[in-house]
Amino acid sequence: GQPLVDGAPPLTERLVSAAEAALPPPRPAHAALPPLDARAVSGSINGHSPSGRLNGDGEMVAEGVAKGEAKAERKPSGWRGALRCFSLVRNWASLGTLRSEGVMGCLDGMRCFSMAWVIFGHTLVYAEQAGGLQFMAEILPKGYAYPSFVSPPPDGGRISQWLYQLLPAAFFAVDTFFWMGGLLTGLALAKQIGRLRAGWWRYYPMYLLSRWLRLTPLIVVAMLWVVGLSESIGDGPLWGSQLDRHKCIESWWVNIAYIQNLLNKFDKAQPVCLGHLWYLSNDMQFYLIAPLLVFPMVASPVAGWALWALAVLGSTAANIGIAIDGGYTASPLFDMNYFAEVYVQPWTRIQPYLVGLALGVYWQRTARAAPSAARRRWCWALLAGAAVVTLADVF
């Protein structure tokens, strides 16, 4: 332990210094982790959790690649890649694969229940056309006039019963899909805008184009099916009434421009091709303006949240004013004018999308903070209050 030469450090200190010099420099506690390996990111995007380990440099390495046990799957391109999308084996395996944790699996439950609710409502409403006046009298409440050969129940139809409130409320089950769309859009935009700031606007054209390219091919296939094949593949009492062949030949451009809902109000002479696509028209219009709200909410929160609140209040005022002016009931089941003036218009349907958008921005800011017990109680109280208000509105 003594110095061998005057002024030289002891041998043990020199050995320790040499060992420390051979080690990589320590990473500061606040330093950001290096980016994930591209294959791990690709696996996560495709719905699978990346399985791997950190190498000596702190980078994520796929487990199979690290051990030399597997190679990256080579995906076919061109027509082979397109044909592979229709593979029964591949798609069946995908349907049976559970999502990884942390991907908001609760949204799948909301989709399932809301879809069942929508199907329930449409089943009863479309049955009115085939069931005739007596069927309508068995469903609708008191107050409707019928011909003498119809015998309505003395206390009104089944919709007067508590359980059948699900029927008029089914029209608003669509709001859950608007809410989910706003939530996911808000999450994605808040993350991108937080990183790129004003530079994000350079990508706005691609933001819109990618959305259009994602939705439009399916709409075109549906319209081609209606125009070319639908008349020849079915029959029945309702089949002729639901064919849109001639309407789609004349109004195909309306659907790929995503303005069907607007023409329902401003150009009622324009034929409606595949009327249920009013939803996608609204969704595209909401997606178009979402960055105009999210950007100030991220860049200047006070002004951004004030703008968001103004949008919510404006939509609420539009609903109230139009409903009072037209004397509408809160369901297109009883008044089809309500459908064209309120139910399918973006300024009256954007409220749930705005709520989802705000939650997405807030979630992105506070995702790493574990919610306190008090915050969880507040959330459950707000949800319960919203449910009571919704039920009261239906009744």
Side-chain angles (χ1 to χ4, degrees):
Q2 298 296 325
L4 298 180
V5 181
D6 290 341
L11 178 61
T12 52
E13 293 184 18
R14 284 184 288 165
L15 291 175
V16 170
S17 299
E20 291 178 345
L23 293 175
R27 186 185 304 276
H30 62 275
L33 290 175
L36 292 176
D37 180 76
R39 285 164 294 191
V41 174
S42 175
S44 176
I45 291 175
N46 289 325
H48 303 285
S49 297
S51 175
R53 62 174 179 81
L54 293 175
N55 63 12
D57 296 327
E59 296 178 347
M60 177 66 77
V61 179
E63 192 69 37
V65 176
K67 294 181 179 180
E69 296 175 351
K71 296 182 179 180
E73 181 185 4
R74 185 175 181 181
K75 296 182 178 180
S77 59
W79 67 269
R80 289 187 177 89
L83 190 62
R84 187 171 180 263
C85 295
F86 298 91
S87 168
L88 179 61
V89 175
R90 176 176 175 269
N91 291 330
W92 185 264
S94 177
L95 287 172
T97 302
L98 296 178
R99 294 176 186 261
S100 59
E101 294 295 331
V103 291
M104 294 188 177
C106 61
L107 298 185
D108 292 333
M110 292 185 65
R111 291 187 186 98
C112 178
F113 283 116
S114 297
M115 196 174 298
W117 198 358
V118 170
I119 292 171
F120 165 77
H122 282 83
T123 299
L124 290 181
V125 169
Y126 280 104
E128 290 181 5
Q129 301 177 28
L133 293 175
Q134 184 61 45
F135 180 87
M136 294 178 63
E138 298 285 344
I139 292 291
L140 298 178
K142 292 190 298 184
Y144 285 83
Y146 299 99
S148 58
F149 59 84
V150 176
S151 302
D155 296 328
R158 296 188 179 184
I159 206 172
S160 302
Q161 302 173 14
W162 185 82
L163 286 177
Y164 266 78
Q165 297 306 306
L166 288 170
L167 176 57
F171 289 94
F172 297 98
V174 180
D175 284 351
T176 59
F177 293 102
F178 283 140
W179 177 84
M180 284 187 282
L183 170 66
L184 298 176
T185 302
L187 273 170
L189 284 176
K191 183 182 296 184
Q192 296 167 7
I193 292 172
R195 184 174 67 252
L196 299 174
R197 293 292 172 171
W200 183 89
W201 291 103
R202 292 179 298 174
Y203 302 99
Y204 183 70
M206 185 57 64
Y207 165 84
L208 296 181
L209 179 62
S210 61
R211 182 73 165 189
W212 189 88
L213 291 175
R214 178 186 176 189
L215 298 178
T216 305
L218 295 176
I219 295 175
V220 171
V221 169
M223 290 191 294
L224 289 175
W225 176 273
V226 169
V227 170
L229 295 174
S230 60
E231 289 186 347
S232 305
I233 61 172
D235 196 3
L238 293 179
W239 194 257
S241 64
Q242 66 180 2
L243 293 179
D244 288 345
R245 181 175 184 273
H246 298 289
K247 297 176 181 178
C248 288
I249 291 175
E250 185 174 347
S251 299
W252 60 270
W253 61 274
V254 173
N255 289 336
I256 65 172
Y258 299 95
I259 56 173
Q260 184 195 102
N261 58 333
L262 299 177
L263 292 185
N264 273 339
K265 176 178 176 60
F266 297 110
D267 186 6
K268 297 184 179 180
Q270 183 72 35
V272 177
C273 167
L274 299 177
H276 55 283
L277 294 182
W278 69 267
Y279 172 86
L280 287 182
S281 296
N282 277 275
D283 185 74
M284 178 64 83
Q285 292 154 16
F286 299 161
Y287 193 78
L288 178 74
I289 67 169
L292 303 178
L293 293 170
V294 174
F295 183 83
M297 292 168 76
V298 174
S300 180
V302 174
W305 283 96
L307 180 63
W308 174 86
L310 187 63
V312 173
L313 291 174
S315 179
T316 303
N319 272 281
I320 294 173
I322 296 173
I324 292 175
D325 182 65
Y328 299 129
T329 57
S331 176
L333 178 64
F334 306 119
D335 191 341
M336 288 308 296
N337 288 328
Y338 174 88
F339 181 86
E341 298 292 330
V342 179
Y343 188 73
V344 301
Q345 298 308 326
W347 45 83
T348 51
R349 294 305 299 271
I350 198 173
Q351 292 163 304
Y353 191 91
L354 291 174
V355 174
L357 203 68
L359 179 59
V361 174
Y362 178 78
W363 192 300
Q364 175 61 24
R365 291 184 58 188
T366 62
R368 297 180 182 179
S372 63
R375 180 180 293 180
R376 287 196 295 268
R377 286 194 293 268
W378 270 107
C379 288
W380 281 110
L382 288 173
L383 289 173
V388 170
V389 170
T390 302
L391 288 174
D393 176 70
V394 171
F395 280 104

